[in-house]
Amino acid sequence: MAKPNYQFEKRQREQQKKQKKVEKAQRKSLPPQAEPSTTTAPAQEPAAD
């Protein structure tokens, strides 16, 4: 049975963390109105009978 390559696994995890950090920084740098938001959708009011 082959031995696990822990250095490779660690390097992969670190690259994923770095990529997430970059993506988060890019999202924060965008203006708020450019982001699609589901909370700003108008709520439907029940029809009054």
Side-chain angles (χ1 to χ4, degrees):
M1 186 169 181
K3 291 170 54 175
N5 188 348
Y6 293 113
Q7 290 179 340
F8 175 77
E9 293 174 7
K10 182 179 180 182
R11 188 169 59 246
Q12 292 298 313
R13 284 193 308 269
E14 289 174 351
Q15 287 175 348
Q16 288 175 349
K17 285 181 185 179
K18 186 175 181 181
Q19 182 65 28
K20 276 186 158 183
K21 191 174 185 179
V22 168
E23 289 174 359
K24 187 174 181 181
Q26 287 176 345
R27 278 183 284 154
K28 284 193 167 208
S29 68
L30 293 176
Q33 57 271 53
E35 296 179 11
S37 179
T38 58
T39 58
T40 59
Q44 293 179 351
E45 297 180 15
D49 288 327

